[in-house]
Amino acid sequence: MTGSAIAVIGAGMIGAAHAFGYRVNIDRLSDRLPGLRLKTICDANGELAAEMATSWGFETIASDWKDALADPEIGIVSICLPNFLHAEVTLAALAAGKHVICEKPLALDAETAARIYEASKTTSTVSATVFNYRRIPAIAAIRQLIQNGEIGEPVNALVQYESEYAADTQLPHSWRYERDRAGPGALLDIGTHAVDIARFLCGEVEEIAGAIATISIKQRFLPAGASIGHNHVALSTESRPVDNDDVMSALLRFENGCQGTFLASRVAVGMGNSLTVAITGTKGTVRYSSRTPAHYEIARFDGSGQSPFTIVANHPALPFAALLPVPHDGVAIGYAEVFGFMIHEFLDAIARGGPMTNGSILDGLRASEILDAIQQSADTNRPVKVRHAAA
């Protein structure tokens, strides 16, 4: 029986999001998970770990993730490390008998993700992939609408994830810009979210009809010191090439006949950090943008010549809204709150004996399979069938 103490491995910006998610849920679930508490924040950068411990109330600091996994009191682990470390630490956490939730992408490629999935099937612990955007109440409501046939059969899906952080040429070179450590660039770093939402709303993807990759900023200066996330730091005079994509677009063919347009960009000036979704069906269209998080829109065909869109504001009956401190109509949903919804699901699965099906390790594998196919299509300039490993 594993303990209920929590370790967050990685003290960067996403580690803080996980710490927030746990902090707002500990009291809600402590009666079902005795001993639930933030015990260890782990990072090779001791200063970062100390700041995180002070900010969020961790009891101890560790510099080596292996020490955190060896602690018998720690039974719950969040993996918030750079992409190239996800697989190694997740496999180790599963082998150590921990409940584990791993940041996206689950791995740098589908073959490695399949190894993690196979390992997860041999344990009795709860395991999950971070797909926090599924918990945006409007996104979850759109899924229900589609499943209930409100817009008819899906015909076309537009899913875009656009960020601006890498448009700045003065942002330092880091692991994010190296294909051997980050994998594909915008495709894997933020496109993973778009791919998962496409699956979440429209089902499995069977083929990538075509894809195009672009590297728009081909060199970046190395940092003169330690750098965190997307922060500016002093730069050295030495530069290195960027060898993964800044922009990736693709055409998707879903198993149900729906076609999709996918875009991931980390150099989208003016877009900040935006997820945009529009699903058109035979009877209507639903759309959502994270830039207007207080509502989604739906148009139902009415024969008038141009069917009008209706705004559906956030309201207490939407999925996950009951967990909000202010669940009233029209209240916007914040990024950190969605992490809280996800961590609540994770802890609830642990309390009831699992599994966590909404953002599972299998979901992480399926996203990896689509991402591999997009990259292969871009590399070969040819259509690529998505290869699905047996579940």
Side-chain angles (χ1 to χ4, degrees):
M1 182 73 176
T2 58
S4 294
I6 300 160
V8 174
I9 301 177
M13 58 183 181
I14 294 301
H18 281 247
F20 169 86
Y22 287 116
R23 179 56 65 197
V24 299
N25 283 296
I26 283 175
D27 287 342
R28 283 173 169 161
L29 287 127
S30 60
D31 60 330
R32 298 168 61 199
L33 291 169
L36 189 64
R37 67 194 195 279
L38 289 174
K39 184 176 184 189
T40 301
I41 177 66
C42 179
D43 201 286
N45 184 321
E47 183 177 345
L48 272 184
E51 290 176 2
M52 184 84 80
T54 300
S55 296
W56 297 103
F58 286 91
E59 297 173 8
T60 62
I61 296 168
S63 60
D64 188 335
W65 57 264
K66 294 177 182 176
D67 293 336
L69 296 187
D71 185 342
E73 289 190 4
I74 291 173
I76 301 168
V77 177
S78 275
I79 297 171
C80 308
L81 294 166
N83 296 352
F84 62 93
L85 293 172
H86 288 181
E88 178 185 6
V89 184
T90 300
L91 286 167
L94 290 170
K98 311 298 184 183
H99 303 291
V100 57
I101 184 165
C102 179
E103 265 298 329
K104 58 78 202 165
L106 184 59
L108 297 187
D109 55 63
E111 181 180 356
T112 307
R115 287 174 48 217
I116 298 172
Y117 173 62
E118 290 301 320
S120 74
K121 293 195 296 183
T122 67
T123 72
S124 60
T125 56
V126 177
S127 54
T129 307
V130 170
F131 286 132
N132 49 302
Y133 286 88
R134 290 173 171 232
R135 281 88 179 176
I136 295 173
I139 294 288
I142 287 171
R143 174 180 162 93
Q144 290 179 348
L145 287 171
I146 294 171
Q147 291 185 329
N148 291 339
E150 292 287 326
I151 64 166
E153 295 298 321
V155 174
N156 184 72
L158 169 67
V159 184
Q160 300 178 156
Y161 200 123
E162 298 170 281
S163 290
E164 186 175 359
Y165 72 86
D168 188 346
T169 60
Q170 296 306 299
L171 201 68
H173 197 285
S174 72
W175 61 268
R176 293 182 187 276
Y177 305 103
E178 299 177 9
R179 191 162 173 176
D180 64 340
R181 295 204 294 166
L187 174 63
L188 207 62
D189 192 30
I190 56 179
T192 306
H193 283 306
V195 159
D196 180 66
I197 291 302
R199 282 189 68 241
F200 184 61
L201 297 179
C202 296
E204 294 296 348
V205 177
E206 69 175 13
E207 184 181 39
I208 308 304
I212 303 172
T214 300
I215 301 174
S216 60
I217 299 174
K218 296 179 172 55
Q219 295 275 337
R220 290 187 182 272
F221 289 102
L222 293 174
S227 62
I228 306 164
H230 306 311
N231 294 341
H232 286 92
V233 296
L235 300 177
S236 72
T237 57
E238 182 183 355
S239 67
R240 286 189 181 165
V242 174
D243 65 0
N244 58 14
D245 58 281
D246 288 323
V247 184
M248 181 73 80
S249 57
L251 293 176
L252 316 179
R253 194 187 315 278
F254 293 85
E255 289 182 354
N256 62 10
C258 181
Q259 62 174 260
T261 304
F262 162 93
L263 171 68
S265 174
R266 62 188 181 190
V267 292
V269 175
M271 297 306 293
N273 189 63
S274 302
L275 173 69
T276 304
V277 176
I279 313 295
T280 300
T282 54
K283 297 179 181 178
T285 296
V286 284
R287 64 189 185 189
Y288 168 82
S289 171
S290 62
R291 295 170 70 83
T292 53
H295 69 266
Y296 69 89
E297 297 176 89
I298 182 167
R300 293 180 173 88
F301 180 74
D302 64 4
S304 65
Q306 181 174 336
S307 303
F309 276 95
T310 299
I311 292 175
V312 182
N314 291 338
H315 55 85
L318 288 183
F320 304 104
L323 294 171
L324 289 168
V326 185
H328 297 300
D329 289 355
V331 174
I333 303 297
Y335 188 85
E337 289 172 315
V338 174
F339 263 86
F341 303 155
M342 179 186 67
I343 294 297
H344 186 276
E345 268 194 280
F346 179 51
L347 294 177
D348 178 70
I350 294 169
R352 61 180 167 76
M356 183 169 170
T357 57
N358 187 27
S360 64
I361 294 292
L362 179 58
D363 288 319
L365 169 59
R366 292 293 182 247
S368 290
E369 291 165 344
I370 298 168
L371 294 163
D372 273 11
I374 292 173
Q375 184 64 61
Q376 185 181 351
S377 181
D379 289 343
T380 62
N381 196 29
R382 298 180 64 182
V384 174
K385 293 285 187 183
V386 179
R387 299 189 183 96
H388 295 301

